[in-house]
Amino acid sequence: MLKLINVQLGRRTSNYDLGNGGTEMKKFIFMSIVLVLSVCSWAGAESSVWKAQKDKSVIYLGGTCHLLRESDYPLPPEFEQAYRASSILVFETDIGKMLEPSTQQKLLTKARYADASTVDKHLSARTYGELKAYSEANGIPLEALSQLRPSLLMVTLTVMKLNKLGFSSLGVDRFFYELANRDKKVVEGLETVDEQIDYVVTMADGNEDEFVSYSLMEMKTLSQQFEILANAWRKGDAGKLDELMAAELKTRQPKLYKRLMTDRNRNWLPLIESYQKTLQTRFILVGVGHLVGTDGIIEDLKKKGYKVEKL
């Protein structure tokens, strides 16, 4: 995310031309992929960092948000405490590789339909009508986004909305990635860039109409939703955060919840456990939705014999 810039909303320029692979659009879609996979937490006054110990092994786990407002800084001191105590930082994926132009071009290529068709051909007339009405009401040139698959199209519209609400790409991950590079700390990823791209590009497959309609419905109250999340985060209410970020998704779209949440957690857990063998302290930074709740990594580590406490 180091090279990302905020996009001016409502700009009707060739930069939005997917056919030409516009620079602004590639960057915007990149912001979308990190947003949807963050299952994002909030950087508030209460602790969102846990310390897990087993035998002589120590790991820290921090909930992250990829898009924050300027007012959300400085980050809580627990993040700094965990960072200083760790020699290795672990993110969801290789952020450096994700920033490479070739990776962003790969994402853009996979985000578009291989047969060059447009999204209206893959949605019902009713759902496409809802999408068109939303775009027109918000001054968004839908025709410039029409070659995107529904998953990337909807998260891109969400990023546009968040930009309008004052969010930028300067989130927790970017902050600590830059800090680690400055301090020459080792940086690792829990999954490959290709895996992350695949998760986002395909998450609406076979469920396009419901995905788009549900996303448009959530867009209406996006600002209020983030404020509720912020309040829950400031109180350190892990149960409420789990309820707000996972419960409805788990109920309304269980297949998507399994793919984006529980499957990824299960894939990450063996790697996280392997860190115990090295005795090097790591700070793992992932979306807090992956950490809390009965399906979360914190609960899994407790079952594996780790002593886990909030900082």
Side-chain angles (χ1 to χ4, degrees), residues 90 188 190 271-279 282 284:
V90 183
E188 298 176 344
L190 290 168
L271 183 56
I272 293 173
E273 280 197 279
S274 72
Y275 297 153
Q276 182 186 7
K277 301 175 183 177
T278 67
L279 297 182
R282 284 171 168 83
I284 301 170

Side-chain angles (χ1 to χ4, degrees), residues 2 18 22 60 77 115 118 125 156 162 170 172 188 195 263 269 272 289 296 310:
L2 297 176
L18 289 177
Y60 293 91
D115 60 0
T118 51
T156 299
L162 289 172
L170 183 59
V172 177
E188 298 176 344
E195 285 173 329
D263 285 354
L269 192 61
I272 293 173
K310 268 189 179 183

